[in-house]
């Protein structure tokens, strides 16, 4: 997949990994559009990335997604890449958290249902182009879960499986499907965790390299070693990740 000359929508592009991707894609001569719920954050991010466009959109709102789609159709008809990056993670014990039911709904709709629906909404636009890409950001936790975020890990596993299956459905079309599997990255999502984290810019550069090399599954940094350990010694991988 070429990594310049594209028109790229990055969900959750106002911060963290999404923002680093926006910077990297803009530097590589792509048209970049970011979306998210927080208008002020989006405006700040778009100001910091030359040539970046912002459209406010809560991906869990059908109304917002319809607005986003119509904006893309009229203002960015050359859209040929969707990066499903927006996400949230709650750490809690299911049996002890008083708001668990609301949190479960929010995690599942943001990290899975909304991304699948957004993909279905935007695939007709992507398919109009000669070469397109669907890029889904999952997590190492989709394969080796941690104890404190069972629902988050399950949503990432669901996205991993969805990514594989939709790749089958899109075979023979102009849309290539990629999965990005980051390790622990230094963003708002992992704030307060005093462990070694990868900078978001490093993730973004690895994504661009992986797309260029047409790697269907882009495993970043220590994820490669973790998946190898999980293949031969799954118990060891589980004990590494359970408290992470
Ligand atoms: N950080 C890590 O260690 C790590 C590791 C593996 C995978 N990941 C994945 O990488 C992706 C990015 O995470 P991050 O670490 O960069 O987190 P982050 O800094 O918290 O960024 C998440 C982004 O998602 C947006 N977002 C959340 N809910 C949304 C919604 N309903 N509609 C639209 N946008 C929404 C947020 O913007 P608004 O608040 O403005 O909506 C924010 O910009 C996530 O899918 C995450 O699961 C992260």
């Amino acid at each position: 997949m070429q990594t310049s000359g594209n028109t790229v929508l990055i969900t959750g592009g106002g911060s963290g990994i999404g923002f680093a991707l926006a910077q990297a894609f803009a530097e590589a001569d792509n048209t970049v559009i970011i979306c998210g719920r927080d208008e002020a954050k989006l405006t700040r991010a778009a100001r910091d990335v030359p040539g970046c466009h912002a459209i406010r959109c809560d991906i869990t709102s059908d109304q917002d997604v319809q607005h986003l789609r119509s904006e893309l159709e009229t203002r960015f008809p050359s859209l040929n890449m969707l990066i499903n990056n927006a996400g949230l993670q709650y750490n809690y014990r299911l049996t002890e958290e008083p708001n668990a039911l609301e949190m479960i709904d929010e995690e599942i709709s943001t990290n899975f249902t909304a991304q699948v629906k957004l993909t279905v909404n935007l695939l007709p636009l992507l398919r109009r182009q000669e070469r397109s890409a669907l890029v889904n950001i999952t997590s190492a936790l989709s394969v080796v879960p941690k104890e404190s975020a069972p629902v988050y890990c399950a949503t990432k596993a669901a996205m991993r499986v969805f990514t594989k299956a939709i790749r089958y459905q899109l075979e023979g079309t102009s849309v290539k499907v990629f999965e990005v599997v980051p390790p622990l990255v230094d963003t708002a999502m992992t704030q307060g965790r005093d462990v070694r984290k990868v900078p978001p810019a490093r993730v973004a550069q690895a994504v661009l390299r992986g797309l260029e090399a047409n790697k269907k599954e882009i495993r970043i940094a220590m994820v490669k070693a973790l998946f190898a350990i999980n293949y031969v010694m799954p118990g060891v991988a589980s004990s590494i990740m359970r408290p992470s």
Side-chain angles (χ1 to χ4, degrees):
M1 182 76 196
Q2 247 173 260
T3 51
S4 60
N6 301 293
T7 303
V8 188
L9 171 67
I10 304 168
T11 67
S15 61
I17 295 172
F19 180 67
L21 286 169
Q23 287 179 309
F25 273 96
E27 273 163 26
D29 214 10
N30 297 278
T31 300
V32 176
I33 307 128
I34 54 173
C35 74
R37 297 164 300 181
D38 181 340
E39 186 120 46
K41 187 160 85 178
L42 277 183
T43 309
R44 265 197 314 275
R47 209 179 40 216
D48 290 346
V49 180
C52 177
H53 308 267
I55 302 174
R56 206 208 72 82
C57 174
D58 176 346
I59 59 164
T60 65
S61 154
D62 289 339
Q63 204 184 337
D64 280 11
V65 169
Q66 287 320 311
H67 174 255
L68 173 68
R69 181 184 163 146
S70 91
E71 286 285 296
L72 293 168
E73 277 183 310
T74 51
R75 292 171 54 200
F76 304 100
S78 57
L79 180 82
N80 74 329
M81 195 182 293
L82 164 62
I83 305 187
N84 275 315
N85 164 78
L88 53 85
Q89 180 184 139
Y90 294 130
N91 289 265
Y92 55 100
R93 294 199 72 79
L94 285 169
T95 50
E96 289 163 20
E97 169 55 54
N99 297 320
L101 297 181
E102 290 83 6
M103 290 159 88
I104 290 165
D105 280 344
E106 201 187 342
E107 281 182 295
I108 294 176
S109 67
T110 308
N111 297 348
F112 183 61
T113 320
Q115 308 204 13
V116 172
K117 286 165 81 175
L118 182 66
T119 301
V120 171
N121 264 297
L122 298 188
L123 268 177
L125 277 66
L126 298 182
R127 290 191 63 172
R128 281 187 205 153
Q129 310 302 328
E130 264 177 41
R131 51 180 186 87
S132 292
L134 168 65
V135 183
N136 292 335
I137 313 287
T138 64
S139 166
L141 297 170
S142 66
V143 174
V144 196
K146 64 174 179 175
E147 182 173 349
S148 64
V151 177
Y152 173 82
C153 297
T155 61
K156 290 291 171 184
M159 268 314 274
R160 183 170 167 82
V161 173
F162 171 72
T163 304
K164 202 166 183 179
I166 196 163
R167 185 179 294 126
Y168 298 151
Q169 292 203 358
L170 292 171
E171 263 170 23
T173 74
S174 61
V175 188
K176 288 185 176 151
V177 180
F178 298 90
E179 179 186 358
V180 174
V181 193
L184 197 64
V185 185
D186 193 7
T187 67
M189 185 176 279
T190 60
Q191 218 171 18
R193 275 184 240 167
D194 197 13
V195 282
R196 200 154 60 101
K197 300 178 211 170
V198 169
R202 184 169 160 205
V203 175
Q205 290 307 327
V207 171
L208 265 79
R209 279 197 306 277
L211 293 176
E212 259 162 30
N214 279 316
K215 273 194 188 162
K216 285 183 201 155
E217 189 180 322
I218 303 169
R219 297 177 182 175
I220 297 172
M222 47 284 248
V223 172
K224 294 177 200 125
L226 176 70
F227 282 13
I229 295 169
N230 189 52
Y231 187 69
V232 285
M233 292 176 290
V236 173
S238 295
S239 59
I240 294 170
M241 294 303 283
R242 180 176 166 165
S244 72

